[in-house]
Amino acid sequence: MKPFTYERVSSAAQAAAAVAERTDAKLIAGGTNLLDLMKLQIEAPGHIVDIRDLPLGSIEETEDGGLRVGALVTNTELAAHVRVRRDYGVLTRAIVAGATGQLRNKATTGGNLMQRTRCPYFYDPAQPCNKRNPGSGCPAIAGGSRQLGVVGTSDHCIATQPSDMAVALTALDATVETLDSAGHARSIPVRSFHKLPGDTPEIDNVLARDEIITGVVLPKPVGGTQMYHKVRDRASYAFALVSVAAIIHPDGSGRVAFGGVAPRPWRDLKSEGQLTEGAEAVTSTAFADAKPTAQNAFKLPLATRTLQMLIDKAGSKMQ
């Protein structure tokens, strides 16, 4: 790990100003991803800004009956919250499907959204990687790509976004609230928070350098049968090959978001209109532009089967 300087701030404005002053500054809260990346020298910030003292650790009701979740609310606290369990069950299920209990106790809502890809080439400094070192190449495309993306990728990167929580938030139409160093706040739909790689795969999301996440807003409850299923190579503590967050209503309509298949949670609004026709109709539209490799083409039928299982499960619960 390379030397760095450290400061601890007490307000979101201070945090935004601190990262605006130095291009090599990074925010840290739980540190469950950043510290690993620093140990491997994949990330080498010259300055660390500790935001653990910010007053962003609460979950509050909004005027329209939704919830505002502070950026420092831990994954454990969010999954266990009585309103989340009752009204946003897909979110609780997605969070519990990720990581270990110890990590969920430290990982924060904002940090979960900011975590970087788990592509093995990104994590290996001995390998070229356009996301880590722009212009160096993407060996994953012709190499080991079993765990990587099949849709929304580019000739420069096929890495996937690993967050389970973000997949559920996408299905729920959640928004990310931010603040920049000039004091400007904005709301960003979760489904457009993470960027597709295009020819700039090193840019993971739409945040400006001096912009920090202050919270996530869940809209008023949408009801329905809410489910999250994660298919992985082992039963626990593994990232998704394919995951599906589904909200199914009694008339068969609903929402679907996929994880493990793209550089961001994958939700296609047009395909959701085909839910009553079955999973194959949905996935044929949602993945119409898919460009799988020979090693990960299995993800497409796997996504269809996983979604159909959830549709069938929702139907049986409604009988």
Side-chain angles (χ1 to χ4, degrees):
M1 187 180 290
K2 295 183 178 180
F4 58 88
T5 55
Y6 170 90
E7 71 173 301
R8 197 159 183 166
V9 296
S10 58
S11 73
Q14 285 181 330
V19 293
E21 289 176 3
R22 293 186 55 165
T23 58
D24 62 348
K26 287 282 186 179
L27 301 175
I28 192 168
T32 58
N33 187 209
L34 179 61
L35 291 178
D36 285 343
L37 294 174
M38 290 173 66
K39 291 173 185 177
L40 293 169
Q41 296 190 14
I42 295 167
E43 296 271 12
H47 187 60
I48 294 292
V49 181
D50 192 332
I51 61 172
R52 284 176 293 174
D53 291 340
L54 270 58
L56 302 174
S58 62
I59 301 175
E60 304 169 343
E61 294 199 11
T62 60
E63 292 183 358
D64 68 351
L67 291 177
R68 177 172 287 103
V69 180
L72 295 180
V73 172
T74 68
N75 287 179
T76 295
E77 292 167 335
L78 182 56
H81 191 273
V82 62
R83 278 284 316 275
V84 176
R85 294 177 63 187
R86 185 186 72 198
D87 297 329
Y88 308 96
V90 65
L91 180 54
T92 290
R93 292 176 174 87
I95 292 173
V96 172
T100 66
Q102 293 92 333
L103 286 173
R104 293 195 296 269
N105 287 343
K106 292 293 291 182
T108 62
T109 299
N112 189 296
L113 291 171
M114 292 295 291
Q115 68 180 302
R116 306 208 68 187
T117 183
R118 262 52 177 202
C119 173
Y121 294 95
F122 174 77
Y123 264 80
D124 184 356
Q127 297 282 347
C129 170
N130 285 325
K131 185 174 281 293
R132 177 170 28 84
N133 184 17
S136 62
C138 179
I141 294 174
S145 56
R146 171 179 167 79
Q147 295 178 320
L148 302 178
V150 297
V151 68
T153 57
S154 76
D155 292 338
H156 299 276
C157 182
I158 61 171
T160 55
Q161 213 292 325
S163 172
D164 291 290
M165 184 190 78
V167 181
L169 290 176
T170 298
L172 289 166
D173 271 340
T175 57
V176 180
E177 293 188 330
T178 70
L179 185 75
D180 68 16
S181 60
H184 299 139
R186 65 169 173 156
S187 295
I188 307 163
V190 169
R191 66 174 179 269
S192 58
F193 179 79
H194 298 101
K195 288 178 64 69
L196 298 181
D199 58 3
T200 56
E202 71 276 13
I203 303 174
D204 290 344
N205 55 63
V206 300
L207 291 184
R209 186 175 57 81
D210 66 338
E211 190 175 19
I212 71 168
I213 297 174
T214 56
V216 172
V217 176
L218 301 171
K220 64 181 181 181
V222 296
T225 299
Q226 300 189 12
M227 300 162 290
Y228 185 81
H229 190 78
K230 180 177 181 179
V231 182
R232 41 194 162 182
D233 279 327
R234 60 179 186 267
S236 62
Y237 310 149
F239 294 98
L241 291 170
V242 168
S243 65
V244 181
I247 302 172
I248 311 289
H249 298 293
D251 63 359
S253 65
R255 304 176 183 178
V256 179
F258 297 91
V261 296
R264 66 184 180 203
W266 197 252
R267 184 179 174 196
D268 182 88
L269 300 182
K270 180 180 178 182
S271 71
E272 289 179 348
Q274 298 171 288
L275 258 173
T276 55
E277 302 172 35
E280 189 169 351
V282 173
T283 56
S284 64
T285 298
F287 297 110
D289 296 326
K291 296 180 179 179
T293 68
Q295 290 189 11
N296 64 22
F298 72 92
K299 288 192 174 190
L300 297 174
L302 181 59
T304 300
R305 292 195 300 270
T306 304
L307 175 56
Q308 189 61 55
M309 179 189 69
L310 295 184
I311 292 172
D312 293 343
K313 185 175 181 180
S316 67
K317 285 187 176 183
M318 295 172 188
Q319 290 178 353

